[in-house]
Amino acid sequence: MKPKIKDNVVIFYPHGFLDGDASKYEIDLATKELIFSKKIECILISLKKVVYFNKIGINSISLTMYEMAKKVDANVAFCDYDETKFKALREMSPQSLNLSFFDSEEIAMLFFGNTEKSTKEKKIILFHENQEQKNQISLKLVGRGYIVYTAKDANEFKNSAKNYNIKIHLTHININEKTIAVQVRDNVVIYKLTGFIDSNFAENFDMSAHNNSLKIGFKFFVFDATKARSANIHGVSFLAKLSISSAEYGATIAICGLSGSNTSEALRNDLEDSGILLYNNIEDFFNDDGSINGGPGMKESMPHNITRNLVQLLPIILETAINTLSSMAKIKVERGEIFVKTFDFDQKALTGCIGFYGDIDAKILLSLDKSIVQKACAILLQDDKEASLNSAFGNFMIIIGNKILSLLESKKIKVDITMPNVFENYIQDGDTVSKGAFIELVSDGTKGALFLSR
């Protein structure tokens, strides 16, 4: 098969029958070398020319593409199918490969291609029966600069579709999922465990992300072990050490879902001795007001002041944050002078915080009046009535963080970002000893602030 390369996406167009004939899925060496030489984000399999497929064929072509994708850290996805084929694909495809599915090649390019102005101006409507998928798809597209309307149900999608240029209905994304899924709920970082809590778990745990989450002020970390198979001495030892090191920042570790059937009483005692809280399930943790509200504050005793390298990046960070806020809130944002000082914005506001780590270490604070946060997060709140303003503001910080991430990557600066943290009162609960670049923002008659430090 000969592919087409568009932007940073490789597209294969198999034709005829996708069955057990392995020769159909062979990729010649020259094509592989071409793919390996480029910065590819996704290998896309179009079913536009496919007449028939079965499970053997889908598995074969998926594995062939996956082996190439692993070498360039790319995603693998299918596209160009109808609703019947979409359901069959989801059932037949190997779950372990974390494949994505897009209604069409055009829709796939919204997620991976260059974000052209002409495409951004098109109206997009989205519907997905799965709430989590709906949120992820919307968040990903909004983060890439698109305006997305999310239909509340299938009827609204069907009745409104004619008014939109792009209609997303048969899409399911699994973009760069990590072995340990991470999410934030009520400013608590939740690690969802599925395998064994052993030495491999310890080796694969992202310590850099965890340490940087501590630095931006997260106070509680919960390991949801409901679906974990068992824990051994190596995994317990790692968690005990993690609890002790996290306590230096005033943070607490909790584990939910460990049962007597998968963990011995001796190991459970070892976990409790190291200061780890144990709960039957994650709701028990959130219902324990004493644990959520207790514990020391998150102020850091040692300052982490801004560096010359960060000062050089300030213009693009400031421009990205202001442009994103202005476009999503649909308001004019004005900035004041830049001062190097500690964070002292002592006004009633929500403060979002996100950290970067890798070639550079940095954290960005964005403090805004709640009325401005409400406007900026309107598109993130329109679909999910259960979502809190704090949760939506956290997703807004991810959008800013991903845009900055792309700009840094274009400058050959390799970084990752932490999960976002949101503070009701940063002066009380956050780091007020580190010096950074402080810029006052004015929007809709209210004051805000952006702060960049290490």
Side-chain angles (χ1 to χ4, degrees):
M1 291 186 294
K2 292 291 184 183
K4 176 177 79 175
I5 297 180
K6 184 178 180 182
D7 298 339
N8 44 11
V9 178
V10 177
I11 310 166
F12 285 91
Y13 299 92
H15 61 276
F17 297 88
L18 288 185
D19 48 29
D21 184 356
S23 63
K24 296 178 180 179
Y25 320 118
E26 292 178 356
I27 312 297
D28 62 63
L29 183 59
T31 299
K32 288 182 180 179
E33 291 300 327
L34 176 63
I35 292 171
F36 297 156
S37 69
K38 296 183 176 293
K39 188 177 180 181
I40 299 299
E41 285 189 37
C42 182
I43 297 178
L44 198 57
I45 308 163
S46 171
L47 299 183
K48 189 180 296 183
K49 301 177 182 179
V50 171
V51 177
Y52 163 86
F53 61 79
N54 60 23
K55 187 169 184 175
I56 297 174
I58 293 300
N59 283 350
S60 295
I61 196 168
S62 298
L63 289 168
T64 298
M65 301 305 168
Y66 179 72
E67 289 303 317
M68 286 194 297
K70 278 198 305 185
K71 297 183 183 297
V72 290
D73 196 25
N75 297 273
V76 178
F78 285 92
C79 69
D80 295 322
Y81 41 71
D82 58 23
E83 188 165 1
T84 302
K85 290 180 179 177
F86 175 56
K87 291 178 180 178
L89 276 170
R90 294 293 314 283
E91 292 174 0
M92 293 180 183
S93 59
Q95 297 296 315
S96 60
L97 302 188
N98 284 333
L99 304 175
S100 293
F101 305 87
F102 301 101
D103 303 55
S104 65
E105 181 181 322
E106 178 189 24
I107 289 172
M109 297 305 292
L110 298 178
F111 291 82
F112 300 106
N114 292 334
T115 51
E116 300 173 1
K117 184 179 179 182
S118 59
T119 307
K120 282 189 177 182
E121 291 173 348
K122 291 184 178 180
K123 297 170 66 178
I124 301 173
I125 186 170
L126 160 70
F127 174 70
H128 200 293
E129 292 180 351
N130 182 285
Q131 182 69 45
E132 185 177 350
Q133 272 292 310
K134 190 158 46 176
N135 291 342
Q136 285 187 27
I137 293 167
S138 178
L139 188 61
K140 182 72 175 176
L141 291 176
V142 169
R144 286 173 61 80
Y146 299 105
I147 303 299
V148 182
Y149 177 75
T150 306
K152 294 177 177 60
D153 52 42
N155 285 334
E156 185 185 13
F157 177 84
K158 184 178 179 179
N159 295 333
S160 304
K162 60 181 180 295
N163 301 319
Y164 292 83
N165 307 107
I166 299 175
K167 309 157 189 67
I168 303 177
H169 172 44
L170 305 176
T171 286
H172 187 97
I173 62 173
N174 280 312
I175 298 178
N176 285 338
E177 283 198 346
K178 296 183 178 179
T179 304
I180 301 176
V182 187
Q183 67 181 76
V184 173
R185 173 181 167 187
D186 296 339
N187 278 359
V188 175
V189 176
I190 302 172
Y191 298 110
K192 290 187 173 291
L193 310 182
T194 55
F196 295 98
I197 304 175
D198 55 12
S199 58
N200 286 331
F201 155 75
E203 290 172 7
N204 293 323
F205 185 77
D206 193 341
M207 278 301 301
S208 294
H210 181 80
N211 288 336
N212 282 280
S213 294
L214 288 167
K215 289 178 183 177
I216 66 169
F218 279 107
K219 188 175 182 181
F220 291 99
F221 297 82
V222 175
F223 288 84
D224 184 359
T226 307
K227 295 183 179 180
R229 297 183 183 180
S230 67
N232 65 20
I233 185 63
H234 301 292
V236 167
S237 176
F238 169 76
L239 289 170
K241 291 176 183 176
L242 189 71
S243 175
I244 293 168
S245 63
S246 298
E248 295 177 8
Y249 289 84
T252 300
I253 301 289
I255 302 177
C256 304
L258 281 182
S259 65
S261 62
N262 59 19
T263 308
S264 69
E265 185 177 349
L267 291 179
R268 288 170 63 87
N269 291 338
D270 288 344
L271 290 170
E272 290 182 319
D273 289 344
S274 65
I276 293 175
L277 305 177
L278 300 182
Y279 294 87
N280 291 331
N281 57 65
I282 200 160
E283 292 308 319
D284 284 352
F285 170 82
F286 280 100
N287 290 332
D288 185 351
D289 293 336
S291 293
I292 295 294
N293 296 323
M298 289 305 302
K299 290 181 181 289
E300 293 189 50
S301 58
M302 294 294 293
H304 296 268
N305 299 328
I306 195 168
T307 62
R308 183 180 299 176
N309 289 341
L310 286 184
V311 171
Q312 292 173 344
L313 295 173
L314 180 60
I316 65 171
I317 291 173
L318 181 59
E319 181 182 11
T320 300
I322 288 177
N323 288 346
T324 304
L325 176 59
S326 179
S327 64
M328 291 189 67
K330 296 181 174 59
I331 57 174
K332 183 179 180 182
V333 181
E334 297 178 341
R335 47 155 291 193
E337 294 183 34
I338 299 173
F339 298 95
V340 176
K341 61 176 186 176
T342 58
F343 184 87
D344 60 357
F345 188 71
D346 195 11
Q347 298 204 19
K348 195 172 182 181
L350 278 184
T351 300
C353 181
I354 198 161
F356 295 83
Y357 58 99
D359 288 350
I360 61 166
D361 289 329
K363 64 182 175 186
I364 297 170
L365 305 180
L366 182 61
S367 288
L368 299 171
D369 185 87
K370 285 188 177 181
S371 64
I372 303 300
V373 175
Q374 189 82 39
K375 290 180 180 180
C377 299
I379 194 169
L380 303 174
L381 290 166
Q382 69 174 9
D383 176 60
D384 190 356
K385 301 301 182 185
E386 299 297 319
S388 67
L389 188 61
N390 287 23
S391 174
F393 192 30
N395 287 335
F396 178 78
M397 293 301 296
I398 291 176
I399 290 170
I400 292 176
N402 282 334
K403 288 185 176 183
I404 293 171
L405 201 66
S406 297
L407 289 169
L408 294 179
E409 286 180 349
S410 70
K411 297 179 178 293
K412 309 293 187 191
I413 300 173
K414 294 182 178 180
V415 292
D416 283 313
I417 59 175
T418 66
M419 299 295 285
N421 201 357
V422 177
F423 297 83
E424 293 278 353
N425 188 336
Y426 190 82
I427 293 296
Q428 174 182 298
D429 299 323
D431 170 17
T432 55
V433 299
S434 298
K435 287 185 177 181
F438 181 96
I439 306 98
E440 187 174 275
L441 306 176
V442 178
S443 49
D444 252 17
T446 68
K447 289 185 178 181
L450 185 139
F451 186 75
L452 173 67
S453 71
R454 188 165 62 87

